[in-house]
Amino acid sequence: GNSVTQMEGPVTLSEEAFLTINCTYTATGYPSLFWYVQYPGEGLQLLLKATKADDKGSNKGFEATYRKETTSFHLEKGSVQVSDSAVYFCALNTGNQFYFGTGTSLTVIP
Amino acid sequence: NAGVTQTPKFRILKIGQSMTLQCAQDMNHNYMYWYRQDPGMGLKLIYYSVGAGITDKGEVPNGYNVSRSTTEDFPLRLELAAPSQTSVYFCASSYYPGEEQFFGPGTRLTVL
């Protein structure tokens, strides 16, 4: 079946630290991969996406590369800010349905 | 352009009560979805719709009902509320099924 596994949180980093949130997936076919971000009290917002192997999605300094050989889509940012504090969800879409990971809570302290 | 709107934002129900969670979108999206988000868990799909008059079950449909009489609206009905339905409910929409989903702000429901 289809599923997404994310690293468990919570993650606490100092401002300007490097961020990696691991995400691996299991899927039939050729899914599209997504990272969504949820700020406190809000709904999910698309952060970035990649639709095929070796594609790199990027937005707001965040990046993730679709690695078919390792079935991974790890989220990275070189220098986090306090405003990046949120919950991050990895997700895959098979064309019919989204499958979300459990979310990773990130807190960035000044 | 309001995007996806949900009402109410918060609600407390007693066991056995009924209520309808409202969802509307003004983006002319065909596809609409209802998810629930439990603490420390990902989103679970309750129901979805591919267009007006067409709905289908997701992963966790028991205890819920939906209807889709217009493209814009996709209400979720809880008939006999149970404590297990305490959760945050999100409505989402998309133009195509494989494309970005746009989410509403959520409804936090507590059943006591």
Side-chain angles (χ1 to χ4, degrees):
Chain A
N2 301 309
S3 66
V4 175
T5 302
Q6 292 183 231
M7 66 181 284
E8 292 190 14
V11 174
T12 302
L13 294 174
S14 297
E15 206 165 22
E16 299 184 2
F18 185 85
L19 169 71
T20 300
I21 301 178
N22 291 337
C23 171
T24 57
Y25 68 90
T26 302
T28 54
Y30 303 95
S32 296
L33 301 175
F34 299 76
W35 277 101
Y36 278 83
V37 59
Q38 184 182 29
Y39 298 104
E42 298 183 10
L44 280 69
Q45 304 172 24
L46 179 67
L47 180 60
L48 53 85
K49 69 177 183 181
T51 57
K52 61 183 188 297
D54 300 325
D55 269 2
K56 177 186 284 188
S58 61
N59 186 25
K60 299 181 181 179
F62 291 89
E63 293 182 340
T65 300
Y66 190 142
R67 301 285 187 201
K68 191 169 185 291
E69 63 276 14
T70 55
T71 62
S72 64
F73 193 54
H74 305 321
L75 182 68
E76 296 182 337
K77 187 175 185 182
S79 176
V80 294
Q81 305 300 312
V82 172
S83 57
D84 294 326
S85 297
V87 180
Y88 293 81
F89 291 89
C90 185
L92 70 86
N93 186 287
T94 59
N96 288 324
Q97 187 172 330
F98 268 87
Y99 297 86
F100 289 87
T102 54
T104 301
S105 175
L106 170 66
T107 300
V108 181
I109 55 177
Chain B
N1 192 338
V4 179
T5 56
Q6 292 183 240
T7 55
K9 289 190 176 181
F10 304 94
R11 185 72 186 269
I12 298 175
L13 285 182
K14 294 182 179 178
I15 294 172
Q17 287 186 320
S18 300
M19 78 164 294
T20 299
L21 282 67
Q22 300 292 343
C23 174
Q25 53 91 10
D26 61 0
M27 296 174 282
N28 201 32
H29 286 167
N30 291 322
Y31 294 81
M32 296 188 74
Y33 312 83
W34 274 106
Y35 293 93
R36 58 177 288 170
Q37 182 184 32
D38 299 322
M41 306 290 288
L43 278 70
K44 301 291 186 184
L45 183 65
I46 304 171
Y47 271 95
Y48 67 98
S49 170
V50 303
I54 306 170
T55 63
D56 208 348
K57 297 178 180 179
E59 186 179 357
V60 290
N62 291 344
Y64 307 95
N65 277 300
V66 294
S67 60
R68 183 99 181 267
S69 57
T70 66
T71 300
E72 294 78 19
D73 300 299
F74 190 40
L76 177 72
R77 178 86 178 157
L78 283 72
E79 289 294 348
L80 292 170
S84 61
Q85 293 177 304
T86 295
S87 189
V88 181
Y89 291 84
F90 289 101
C91 180
S93 72
S94 66
Y95 196 72
Y96 293 112
E99 291 296 318
E100 173 189 2
Q101 291 187 1
F102 293 82
F103 284 79
T107 294
R108 184 175 296 274
L109 175 67
T110 302
V111 182
L112 300 174

